[in-house]
Amino acid sequence: MPCIKKPQKTQSTLLDIKSQKCGLRSSVFSVTGNEYTGEWQDNKKHGKGTQVWKKSGAIYDGDWKFGKRDGHGTYSVLLPGTKKYARKYCGGWKNGKKHGYGTCYSSSAVYEGEWSEDYRSGWGRMYYDNGDFYEGEWLKDKNHGQGIIIFANGNWYEGAWREGKKNGDGKFYYCDKGQLYEGVWVDGIPKCGTLSDFGRDEAPAPTKYPVPQLQLVDMQLVLREARSAYLDQC
């Protein structure tokens, strides 16, 4: 009767199994010089870990899922000529991209709110370098939906937006002149609306003359005069 021998693991197979990265490991360097310290699963970064990119000096510290940033984490960059780091983003990640709720820093500008696949999308607040402030809805990095922007000079707009421009119904408060425009906007340009005084007495630079007040005409008087004119012609 023939004897069947069970295949035995060769030395190379055993070495391959031992070399597979799984669980917590100390620093591992890639061929490009990038350094990762943290947890692994099936040879992929998975769990908690920190990666340092050799070329840029950037660092990510947070959650990983099958080799990609996923969960919550912080991404920082190395300031040129120093050993100090500047935080660029802190918040949610998914499949290697900013996703969920997070805060992004760029110079003195700051965005705090929702993200989708590396884009500002959803509800968020943006503090601009020039002192302007926007709070409202976003879509793919542009103001889109309902939102309010307060300019550095005190003027502000609230209403509808589309692809980064005022579009639809909105109100623009000229606080420096003490006036209010209410109407419809198309691609950032007011098309049809009304202009009225608003806080004119407190405005720092009001217009020379106030906006005349609209008054309703006596409809019955207009009808009587029209009827009288019609009868005179008969």
Side-chain angles (χ1 to χ4, degrees):
M1 183 176 180
C3 181
I4 300 175
K5 294 184 178 180
K6 293 182 180 180
Q8 295 183 353
K9 294 179 181 178
T10 63
Q11 184 68 17
S12 61
T13 304
L14 292 172
L15 289 174
D16 181 62
I17 294 173
K18 290 182 179 180
S19 65
Q20 289 185 9
K21 294 179 282 292
C22 189
L24 182 62
R25 286 228 172 184
S26 56
S27 298
V28 176
F29 294 85
S30 66
V31 292
T32 57
N34 298 335
E35 179 185 356
Y36 174 80
T37 304
E39 297 176 297
W40 297 79
Q41 182 174 316
D42 298 330
N43 274 337
K44 293 181 178 180
K45 301 160 194 165
H46 191 89
K48 299 287 186 181
T50 302
Q51 166 127 350
V52 180
W53 285 266
K54 182 180 179 181
K55 186 176 181 179
S56 64
I59 183 172
Y60 170 80
D61 180 48
D63 298 323
W64 297 79
K65 187 175 181 180
F66 301 119
K68 295 183 178 181
R69 290 168 284 186
D70 200 297
H72 186 275
T74 301
Y75 177 80
S76 305
V77 296
L78 185 65
L79 296 176
T82 69
K83 293 184 178 181
K84 296 182 179 179
Y85 283 90
R87 181 179 294 182
K88 286 296 180 181
Y89 177 78
C90 179
W93 299 79
K94 185 177 181 181
N95 200 29
K97 297 179 179 180
K98 295 185 283 289
H99 194 88
Y101 192 90
T103 304
C104 185
Y105 307 86
S106 176
S107 185
S108 57
V110 178
Y111 171 80
E112 177 187 7
E114 296 175 311
W115 296 78
S116 178
E117 297 185 342
D118 262 351
Y119 290 107
R120 290 169 289 182
S121 291
W123 189 269
R125 303 183 184 93
M126 182 73 195
Y127 301 84
Y128 294 92
D129 290 322
N130 61 1
D132 296 345
F133 168 76
Y134 172 83
E135 181 175 6
E137 294 176 291
W138 296 78
L139 181 65
K140 291 189 175 181
D141 277 345
K142 293 182 179 180
N143 313 27
H144 193 93
Q146 292 294 317
I148 176 173
I149 185 167
I150 303 175
F151 298 96
N153 62 3
N155 295 341
W156 52 290
Y157 167 84
E158 65 172 85
W161 298 77
R162 186 173 70 236
E163 296 183 352
K165 295 180 180 180
K166 306 176 191 74
N167 268 287
D169 295 331
K171 300 178 181 179
F172 196 105
Y173 295 83
Y174 297 91
C175 296
D176 54 342
K177 301 182 184 302
Q179 293 182 330
L180 164 65
Y181 170 83
E182 296 181 79
V184 178
W185 300 71
V186 177
D187 293 335
I189 300 174
K191 290 294 183 177
C192 180
T194 59
L195 186 67
S196 59
D197 286 329
F198 179 83
R200 178 183 173 82
D201 295 337
E202 295 80 22
T207 54
K208 187 175 181 179
Y209 300 104
V211 177
Q213 295 293 322
L214 296 176
Q215 296 182 352
L216 294 176
V217 177
D218 187 338
M219 295 300 298
Q220 295 300 322
L221 177 61
V222 171
L223 291 173
R224 285 197 299 268
E225 291 179 349
R227 186 172 183 276
S228 176
Y230 173 76
L231 293 174
D232 291 342
Q233 294 177 1
C234 293

